[in-house]
Amino acid sequence: MSRPINRMRPVHPGEILREDFLVPIRMSDSPAILAVMRSRG
């Protein structure tokens, strides 16, 4: 029995964050990066 071939391209985690979280709240990458850097101390 042969396995089906996965024809989907690999997705970068940053692409998922941008499309699922940043675009809906209309935030660009830069403010999100700054917020994460500030939260690290």
Side-chain angles (χ1 to χ4, degrees), residues 2-36:
S2 64
R3 293 177 20 176
I5 297 173
N6 183 356
R7 295 176 193 241
M8 294 179 63
R9 65 177 175 81
V11 180
H12 190 275
E15 183 179 352
I16 296 170
L17 289 173
R18 181 173 37 255
E19 295 300 317
D20 291 350
F21 298 100
L22 298 179
V23 170
I25 63 171
R26 297 184 176 133
M27 180 182 280
S28 69
D29 297 349
S30 298
I33 292 168
L34 291 173
V36 169

